[in-house]
Every structure is written in structure tokens, then in C-alpha cells.
Amino acid sequence: MIFKVIPRLRLLGHSLPATGFTALKPGSIICFNGSIPVLNRVFPFKLRFFGLSPGSNGKLSERSLSTRPSRPRSGASSKFTPKIRGDVRASKSLIEDEAELSDWVGELRTDSFRGRLTSEDEELDACRERNRVRSGDGRRNAVPVKRRRESELDNFRESSKREPRGRLGDSFSRNSRFSKQFDGELEDEDIDDDDEEDSSRNTRGVRREAQKVDSWKGKRNERGSGSRNMGNGRGNNLERKSSSREEEDIDANEEKRSWKMSGAENFLSEEDTVIDDDGDYGILRKNASSALGLEKDVNQTESPISSQGKSDSYLSETRFDQISISPLSLKGIKDAGYEKMTVVQEATLPAILKGKDVLAKAKTGTGKTVAFLLPSIEIVSKLPPVDRDVKRPPIHVLVICPTRELATQAVSEAKTLLKYHPIIGVQVVIGGTKLALEQKNLQANPCQILVATPGRLRDHLENTAGFATKLMGVKVLVLDEADRLLDMGFRKDIERIIAAVPKQRQTLLFSATVPEEVHQICHIALRRDHEFINTVQEGSGDTHSQVRQVYMVSPLDKHFSLLYVLLKEHIADDVDYKVLVFCTTAKVTKLVADVLSELNLNVREIHSRKSQSYRTRVSDEFRKSKGLILVTSDVSARGVDYPDVTLVIQVGIPSDRQQYIHRLGRTGRKGKEGQGILLLAPWEEHFLSSIKDLPIAKAPLPSLDPETTKMVERALSHVEMKAKESAYQAWLGYYSSDKKVGKDKYRLVELANEFSRSMGLDNPPAIPKLVLSKMGLGNIPGLRAR
Ligand SMILES: Nc1ncnc2c1ncn2[C@@H]1O[C@H](COP(=O)(O)OP(=O)(O)OP(=O)(O)O)[C@@H](O)[C@H]1O
């Protein structure tokens, strides 16, 4: 049984030696000063039934808003990380992308405990498609918007006038949403057929290259206080692994594995808090000591923020043709329709072109991809051309993205910028596609820029002849969504990749969220003298002011109906609606999509259980569409650039604050308006404390008439039992890993059964005994074991 698990998980790679983390070694920091003048702008609030009036939320009115006019839309960790021999194992060695992190534990269990089951996803897709055709695009089912009772509105207006709440520290220390992504799903099967094939492939042939890397690695000096010196810091418990190979651990400990909290939240210390701002104009640069509270103001003269006064605007005043970039890049930029640089592009370009390592923080949808791609291309364009006869032409720029969708998107942006650079090639390597095909492509079309997901990159390192040698040519390493890539779910892969690229390189870390933990561990990748460039104005919050955020609290049994009504209201309100509905796990995503589809809404679903070709197809469709609802797991949470998303609904608690911000960031991109609704059950309200610095206000629940409730019940009764069973189990797994909810197992089971009833089930679905015991729920009354 164990041997069956290993190839499926592709745990054939070498593990890194034991690692821990050194104390904080921050580099210099630049941040955009909080005093940049701004013009407040109030956007019309579109969630009319909420009764929010502009500025009604004290926080909102206090925030600095964009000076740019709002363009109308055109046309309208591990809590369940397996513990192995007492060592916390938070990452699978070769996880391809973010979503797979949640899958692999479930997959492991499936294989370990029950053997493989058949997937029905594609059949359901076809069925959903039939439904869609039958029902048209869903718009004609729109019901008139129901008016809120006046008193309800008044009450809400009153309550939303309250003062903004104080700032609360990031919740990253809950050890990441990765932990929450463990969803306890056992029924799934259709992940990465190709990956499975990859994993069993060529494992012996791999060794040569891998050994080369390892022996080379051994000779390397430490990079700054770097990754090889991670055994001494706080949080050693996170990665206190011996150098034994990952699959060996799995073999030996299969029976001992338990899904417990890693305690990773303990690895931070409050004393390391960075103070970002001292209230001066311009750029405030901080060095390492400033991160400990001793700030050093060295206002930069070479790159003043010409966007002062527009701190919430994504565009700066600097045009691309005013800066020193190659004419070929400039032509590509022009063709892309970019005229002015975005604030983050303007702020980071000089530092990157100067050769600095950069950690950059900028809000969602503000052009970070171009910010790291453009200077990277400039760097490559200045390198001497690679001789055609070179057997293994070097890769000069390596971009790592946490999801396949994001990697594909980055490549597409790179191609746009490279349009007039005939001799610079770009390629992508991602999971879910044939490794052999990628190997062929890499061979046939040498590229200087490679975009990859971490797991697949490791696959190539270990399976593709000459690949390790090519990586020795890397001059620029980029970690997009850096906080995600540096958290426990990807850490091992990232460490392995960092070990495979030269120490003498430039490293760029970009994200919309840079929690304090990232400052503490970024030395894994960055030089000590790196610059932290923060374009998020102090006090403006990490989300966009033009995105109206509300939360609603309602008992679970109303969630399906409420979701339906919210969607119908929105559809009626905006003919060009484009909605993302985020769910907690892949299986819950599927269930919600099934229900909404039964309700004749125009729905697509996307999550890690879908084949890559399906994911690509749906993603492309949603990008181009209007009048569509995409029900999704966290595969769409980060980075994906769907234009003109009108509403983001998050059902249930996101895994952490960062995830909330990134999910919400799918709307309100490029300065556009957007709306966000967080739908919680009463016992999920504790999550609000982690986002209490954000301008989110409580909204009243839309009223549910008996007819709507009946319709939803009917729709639920049409959803396959198997989908409900899987969702129930996944739900249980997800919330078991929540610090608060999962603490009291008796209460957890009561809530799970409430969820079961909300799906219209009289009795909760039975769960395999072994799974229950692995989840620590063996003897809890209220669960049905089988
Ligand atoms: N200078 C520019 N002018 C206009 N549009 C731009 C510019 N640079 C990038 N864009 C566009 O802005 C959009 C958002 O860019 P991108 O996806 O890189 O944002 P991001 O900051 O990485 O967002 P996220 O944090 O969600 O990943 C893209 O459609 C991109 O093509």
C-alpha cells in the first residue's frame, strides 16, 4: 500500500537537509510614505440592498482613495500536516501548485486507506453544460431585486457608521492557509493524470542531474545568512527534518502519520515587528536595523514617487517612454497598450535595474507581473547572446508561480513584452501537462526566461537531462506570490530550487501581502542588503478602497439560499455580472457549483480536482466572459487576472487573512470598482478579528421568501448523493484544521451535521473508520462510521 502511494505523490526527489530559521535578517526597506497627499473619492455603492451609503463606514471615509476616475465597466499548514517521526512535514516534495497542497493529504489517504475511486467530474461537467444550455445563460431567471425594509436599512446605516476598528497583526502565524487547505477529501481521483505518469518515469535517469546539483550545492557558500543556516532560529520545529529522503519517511511512518497542528505559529516573535512608516514624504528606505524599529530615512532621489497624491491609484505619472529601457521592450509595451507605469513598476524598476534584490509589496491588480518581467527582460537583453552551438543553453531568468494558472498568465505577459525581442525565448513548465512534451520543447526551443510551478520545476531538475546545468545560468530568480511560495506548503520545493540556481544572482520577491513572517524568512532567497519596496500606503489597508467589502452572518442552513439570492440580486443589478464564488475546499466547490447549476444560474467550476485542460478552458472562458459565475476553490485566489470581475463572494472562512485579501483582489483590478461579500456562520465570526483593519462592514441579510427556500431545497435534492458525501467529509476536514472551530471536536461534529442538514440530508454521510480516527474523530458521537 505504501509503495502505491509514493509514485502517486511523486516523492522521489531528494529532500533537503534539516532546516530551521535564523533570526530576523531583514534588508533595507523602502516604503511609500503615508503622507503622500491624496484626493478622496467616493464610489457609488452597488450593493444597494445593503444600504451602505458612500462613506458610511468610518474606515472607508477615512481612507485615502484613488484620484483616478472610476471607469465604468465596458459595455456595462498546517494544522493537518502529517507528523512523521515527530518531525513536522508540511509539504509534499513535488506538489505542483497551491491547490495540490490541499489535495495531497486527501489523496494520500485515498490511496493509503481505500484505494482509488473513480472520478465523475467530467461527466458532471457535461451534465452542467446540458443544464446551462437548457436554461439559457441564467439571466432570464433573474428575479427583481427585493427592497430592504427601511428600518433594517436605517439600522445598518447606523451600525456601519461606527469607528474603524484598530489594527490587528497578521494571521499568518496561524501557519498559513495551506494548513487549512487540507480538506479531508477522499473521493477524488482525477488530479494530474499526467503527473502520475511523470512520477513513475525515469526515476533512475534523474539521479545524475540531481546528484550534480547536490554535489554542487554542497560546495556552495552560504548566501547571506541564507537557507543553509536555518537550523538555529526560532521555529526550528517547523522543519526539523533529518536529511533522509522524503519518501523514506513516508514509508517508515505511514502508520504513525497524524494530522496535527504543526505549532508553526510559534515561530514568530513580536519583537521583530517592522515599523513601516515615519510619516515623511517620499520614499523611506530602511535598513536591517530599521526593521527592528530603528528607522533610517534615506529618501531616494533617483526614483521619487511621481505618483504622490495618487497613492491609491495604480498608475504613476511616469510614462514608459520616459525611462531608460530598450526600444524593443518599449515597442512591446506600446503594443500592449501600456503608456504609464503603475506605481509598483515605477518604484521597483530602478532598484532592479541597479541589480538589487527586491522584496516588493503592492496591492492586487496593480501590475506586479510587468514590474518583475520588464526589468528581467532588460537584464537578459544586455547579456551577450548565447552561442547557438552551446549544448545546454542557459536559462537566465527563472520565475516561480504557485499555481499553473498564474504561471501561464505570466508567460502570456512575458510574450507580450517580448514581441520585438526575437532572440529572447520564454517557456512555461507546469504540472498537469506532459513532462515529456515540456522536455521536448525545452530541447527544441531554448529559452532564456522560464516560468514554472515549483513541483514541476523540481521534476525537471530531477528528470530532465541537462536541466540542472541550464539553471546554473540563472541571473534573476523571481518568486511571484512570494509569501505563498515561502510558506510551509512550498518551502521544501523552493529551498531545493534555490539550491539549484547560482548564489550570484538577483532575486525578486513580489506579493500583495507580505506578512511579518516573510520578512523573517526571506533571507532564504534574498541577500541581506535587499530592498523592501512597499507601495501600499500606510493606513490605506491592503485592499482597494474602491472595493466595497461587507460580511454577513447567518446560520449554515441558510447559506445555500442566501448565496442564491445574493447572486440573483447581483445579476439583476448588473447585466455584465462576472462573479467569483470562493469555497473552502475543492469538493465543497463542486457541491456549490452543482447546486447553483441546478438553480439554472450560469455557472462554471474550477478547482484542483479538474484536469489541467479543463482548468485552462474554464479559466479562458471566464476571462473573456460576462454574465458568468465561476465557483472556485483557492486555485483562483491569487494572481489570476480576470478582467472586470464585479463581485467576489467568499463562502465560509478563508484560510487566513492573506487569502481573504487575495481572493477579494480578483475584483477591483486596475483601479476598477468591485464588491466583496464574506458569508459566515455565527461560529465563524472569529475570523473577522484577523481582518479588522480592513474596511469591511456588517451587512444585513437579504430576506428569504419561502418560495426561494423551496427552490433551493429542490435543487439540493437533485444534487448527487456522492457530491454531498464528499463535501461533508471535506468540510469536516477543513474545519477540523481551524484553530477555533476544530478545537472542540464534539462541537465540530455538531456543526458538520448542521452542514449535512443544510445539504438536505437527514443523516450525516458515513465516513470510513480509519479516516475518522486519523482525523482524531474516532469516538466522537454524532458521526457515522463505515
Ligand atoms: N503599466 C500598465 N498600464 C496598464 N495596465 C497594466 C500595466 N501593467 C500591467 N497592466 C495590466 O494590469 C493588470 C493587472 O496586472 P497583474 O496581474 O500583473 O497584477 P498584480 O499586481 O500581479 O495582481 P495580483 O496581486 O492579483 O497578482 C493586467 O491586466 C496587466 O496587463
Side-chain angles (χ1 to χ4, degrees):
M1 194 178 288
I2 287 163
F3 291 105
K4 188 177 171 192
V5 172
I6 290 168
R8 270 185 65 73
L9 293 180
R10 296 174 297 109
L11 295 173
L12 296 168
H14 292 247
S15 290
L16 281 181
T19 53
F21 304 101
T22 54
L24 175 65
K25 304 272 187 221
S28 57
I29 298 170
I30 295 174
C31 65
F32 282 62
N33 195 288
S35 307
I36 294 170
V38 294
L39 294 174
N40 284 352
R41 179 168 58 89
V42 178
F43 294 84
F45 189 23
K46 300 202 72 184
L47 294 176
R48 52 192 153 122
F49 62 80
F50 299 151
L52 265 185
S53 56
S56 62
N57 180 331
K59 184 77 181 176
L60 282 173
S61 59
E62 181 188 87
R63 285 160 50 85
S64 302
L65 304 175
S66 171
T67 55
R68 302 196 64 76
S70 167
R71 283 197 298 270
R73 277 175 217 105
S74 59
S77 346
S78 298
K79 293 173 183 178
F80 271 109
T81 48
K83 273 196 162 184
I84 300 172
R85 256 193 236 123
D87 298 325
V88 175
R89 175 171 302 287
S91 69
K92 177 186 131 189
S93 173
L94 292 177
I95 295 164
E96 283 301 340
D97 70 6
E98 186 160 2
E100 285 177 40
L101 295 172
S102 67
D103 300 336
W104 79 270
V105 177
E107 192 184 359
L108 182 72
R109 289 172 166 184
T110 305
D111 282 351
S112 304
F113 309 141
R114 295 183 50 197
R116 302 181 64 171
L117 297 167
T118 308
S119 165
E120 78 289 32
D121 276 350
E122 294 296 339
E123 275 166 51
L124 285 173
D125 296 338
C127 179
R128 184 159 301 132
E129 187 63 23
R130 281 195 296 278
N131 271 344
R132 194 174 63 80
V133 172
R134 200 177 62 220
S135 63
D137 68 359
R139 286 180 212 178
R140 70 174 182 237
N141 296 302
V143 293
V145 176
K146 293 168 191 63
R147 297 286 161 198
R148 304 258 56 76
R149 289 195 318 275
E150 210 40 54
S151 60
E152 200 174 278
L153 288 172
D154 288 341
N155 283 344
F156 176 58
R157 285 189 192 107
E158 266 317 300
S159 71
S160 60
K161 276 181 199 160
R162 71 184 188 281
E163 284 300 306
R165 287 166 288 189
R167 180 175 279 271
L168 187 98
D170 287 329
S171 62
F172 186 89
S173 58
R174 296 198 310 152
N175 194 20
S176 87
R177 64 200 157 60
F178 154 65
S179 62
K180 293 302 227 31
Q181 283 183 340
F182 160 61
D183 55 15
E185 294 168 3
L186 300 175
E187 307 290 328
D188 302 294
E189 161 82 23
D190 60 343
I191 329 164
D192 293 342
D193 299 339
D194 304 327
D195 292 351
E196 190 178 329
E197 189 187 316
D198 293 344
S199 67
S200 57
R201 178 192 301 123
N202 199 15
T203 53
R204 252 172 280 121
V206 176
R207 305 291 178 224
R208 229 167 7 133
E209 282 299 319
Q211 278 161 5
K212 239 190 260 174
V213 172
D214 284 348
S215 70
W216 169 81
K217 198 175 79 189
K219 288 177 199 144
R220 288 178 52 195
N221 290 328
E222 302 238 309
R223 184 178 167 81
S225 60
S227 57
R228 254 68 58 206
N229 186 24
M230 291 186 292
N232 305 322
R234 283 178 298 275
N236 293 354
N237 57 335
L238 289 181
E239 292 278 325
R240 209 180 294 129
K241 277 271 306 124
S242 72
S243 59
S244 61
R245 295 174 43 128
E246 191 155 2
E247 68 269 32
E248 289 164 357
D249 290 334
I250 294 275
D251 282 352
N253 295 282
E254 185 69 26
E255 292 309 311
K256 293 185 201 161
R257 184 173 296 115
S258 64
W259 284 265
K260 291 266 168 66
M261 284 283 296
S262 69
E265 60 274 19
N266 299 327
F267 86 101
L268 292 177
S269 160
E270 281 176 16
E271 74 202 28
D272 295 328
T273 303
V274 174
I275 301 166
D276 285 340
D277 179 46
D278 70 356
D280 285 339
Y281 282 90
I283 301 171
L284 178 70
R285 180 181 290 172
K286 296 177 180 181
N287 59 15
S289 58
S290 72
L292 293 165
L294 307 167
E295 296 166 18
K296 186 175 155 198
D297 183 354
V298 275
N299 278 318
Q300 224 176 15
T301 50
E302 66 274 29
S303 176
I305 303 309
S306 56
S307 58
Q308 282 188 8
K310 298 179 183 177
S311 62
D312 204 28
S313 165
Y314 82 106
L315 286 178
S316 72
E317 289 304 318
T318 310
R319 293 195 317 272
F320 282 105
D321 60 14
Q322 291 174 314
I323 58 166
S324 160
I325 54 166
S326 65
L328 299 181
S329 291
L330 204 54
K331 271 178 97 179
I333 285 166
K334 211 171 163 197
D335 278 14
Y338 308 151
E339 187 198 346
K340 288 177 177 174
M341 303 177 87
T342 68
V343 173
V344 65
Q345 290 160 7
E346 184 198 50
T348 51
L349 192 94
I352 298 174
L353 289 181
K354 261 196 265 164
K356 297 290 283 185
D357 277 8
V358 166
L359 167 61
K361 175 177 172 182
K363 288 186 188 181
T364 51
T366 56
K368 291 187 286 295
T369 317
V370 171
F372 60 72
L373 282 177
L374 179 61
S376 299
I377 289 169
E378 289 301 291
I379 290 165
V380 175
S381 70
K382 288 188 180 80
L383 293 170
V386 179
D387 196 332
R388 280 178 186 212
D389 300 329
V390 171
K391 201 168 162 214
R392 285 168 181 164
I395 289 163
H396 290 315
V397 175
L398 178 61
V399 179
I400 314 289
C401 301
T403 66
R404 301 163 189 180
E405 279 77 10
L406 204 42
T408 312
Q409 199 175 281
V411 163
S412 149
E413 189 80 84
K415 282 182 177 162
T416 304
L417 298 179
L418 286 171
K419 188 171 173 188
Y420 297 98
H421 282 281
I423 58 164
I424 303 178
V426 60
Q427 285 210 35
V428 64
V429 292
I430 53 173
T433 56
K434 299 272 180 212
L435 188 79
L437 196 67
E438 287 181 350
Q439 286 169 331
K440 236 190 235 169
N441 283 343
L442 287 170
Q443 182 68 30
N445 307 304
C447 63
Q448 294 95 321
I449 301 174
L450 183 70
V451 183
T453 49
R456 179 51 65 95
L457 191 77
R458 276 194 67 169
D459 253 6
H460 279 288
L461 256 174
E462 295 166 2
N463 290 293
T464 304
F467 190 77
T469 311
K470 288 182 178 190
L471 282 195
M472 297 298 286
V474 167
K475 304 264 185 258
V476 182
L477 172 69
V478 181
L479 302 188
D480 191 14
E481 308 293 344
D483 55 328
R484 180 71 191 106
L485 290 174
L486 289 174
D487 88 12
M488 292 310 297
F490 284 111
R491 185 81 54 77
K492 272 180 176 291
D493 282 340
I494 295 302
E495 286 173 351
R496 179 77 177 85
I497 291 161
I498 287 172
V501 296
K503 187 185 165 210
Q504 291 307 318
R505 63 165 197 274
Q506 191 175 0
T507 307
L508 313 174
L509 269 50
F510 278 74
S511 185
T513 47
V514 182
E516 183 48 38
E517 290 79 351
V518 169
H519 290 284
Q520 297 200 15
I521 58 171
C522 64
H523 61 271
I524 290 173
L526 294 171
R527 286 185 288 233
R528 294 180 76 169
D529 67 343
H530 68 269
E531 288 185 358
F532 173 40
I533 299 177
N534 181 8
T535 64
V536 180
Q537 187 192 341
E538 177 71 7
S540 81
D542 288 341
T543 53
H544 291 289
S545 55
Q546 77 275 13
V547 175
R548 300 290 164 168
Q549 304 170 53
V550 294
Y551 70 91
M552 295 176 185
V553 182
S554 135
L556 257 187
D557 64 353
K558 294 204 170 61
H559 277 202
F560 287 111
S561 300
L562 284 172
L563 178 60
Y564 177 59
V565 169
L566 288 169
L567 288 167
K568 294 295 273 185
E569 300 269 12
H570 185 71
I571 290 166
D573 200 31
D574 189 343
V575 71
D576 286 325
Y577 71 92
K578 188 164 175 176
V579 183
L580 278 162
V581 177
F582 281 98
C583 303
T584 46
T585 76
K587 281 299 181 189
V588 174
T589 299
K590 178 175 156 44
L591 175 87
V592 171
D594 285 354
V595 178
L596 296 179
S597 190
E598 285 290 341
L599 286 161
N600 290 327
L601 293 178
N602 194 20
V603 170
R604 302 289 183 276
E605 72 182 278
I606 191 166
H607 48 77
S608 59
R609 307 291 162 152
K610 293 291 189 187
S611 67
Q612 188 50 41
S613 60
Y614 177 93
R615 278 165 67 169
T616 306
R617 182 156 39 92
V618 167
S619 182
D620 286 349
E621 184 187 4
F622 191 67
R623 185 168 280 110
K624 292 173 199 148
S625 296
K626 279 176 181 162
L628 194 56
I629 297 161
L630 183 62
V631 186
T632 179
S633 67
D634 278 337
V635 294
S636 312
R638 280 184 181 251
V640 190
D641 186 43
Y642 294 128
D644 303 319
V645 170
T646 53
L647 171 65
V648 169
I649 302 183
Q650 307 189 37
V651 184
I653 32 176
S655 52
D656 59 21
R657 169 194 165 83
Q658 282 75 34
Q659 205 68 346
Y660 172 83
I661 291 169
H662 285 278
R663 284 165 156 198
L664 183 78
R666 296 319 95 206
T667 187
R669 298 178 76 75
K670 295 175 74 173
K672 289 181 183 165
E673 285 176 58
Q675 304 165 15
I677 302 173
L678 175 63
L679 181 55
L680 299 176
W683 40 269
E684 290 178 305
E685 278 191 84
H686 65 274
F687 174 76
L688 296 170
S689 66
S690 66
I691 53 168
K692 68 186 194 181
D693 61 319
L694 302 179
I696 183 166
K698 189 169 185 176
L701 297 171
S703 60
L704 295 175
D705 58 49
E707 203 185 314
T708 304
T709 311
K710 247 188 217 154
M711 269 176 72
V712 173
E713 280 169 7
R714 210 175 310 128
L716 273 159
S717 72
H718 291 156
V719 172
E720 269 198 358
M721 186 59 189
K722 197 173 172 224
K724 294 177 186 170
E725 285 172 0
S726 305
Y728 171 74
Q729 203 161 281
W731 192 99
L732 202 51
Y734 182 81
Y735 285 97
S736 307
S737 71
D738 182 79
K739 218 188 219 172
K740 285 251 163 62
V741 185
K743 211 158 134 193
D744 179 347
K745 300 293 179 200
Y746 293 87
R747 177 83 181 121
L748 173 72
V749 170
E750 277 173 24
L751 296 173
N753 293 349
E754 201 178 310
F755 176 68
S756 166
R757 284 192 294 279
S758 80
M759 292 189 287
L761 301 179
D762 293 333
N763 290 311
I767 296 178
K769 272 185 196 150
L770 194 51
V771 174
L772 285 178
S773 82
K774 291 287 181 188
M775 290 168 87
L777 299 172
N779 298 315
I780 310 293
L783 289 169
R784 288 178 54 224
R786 61 181 155 99

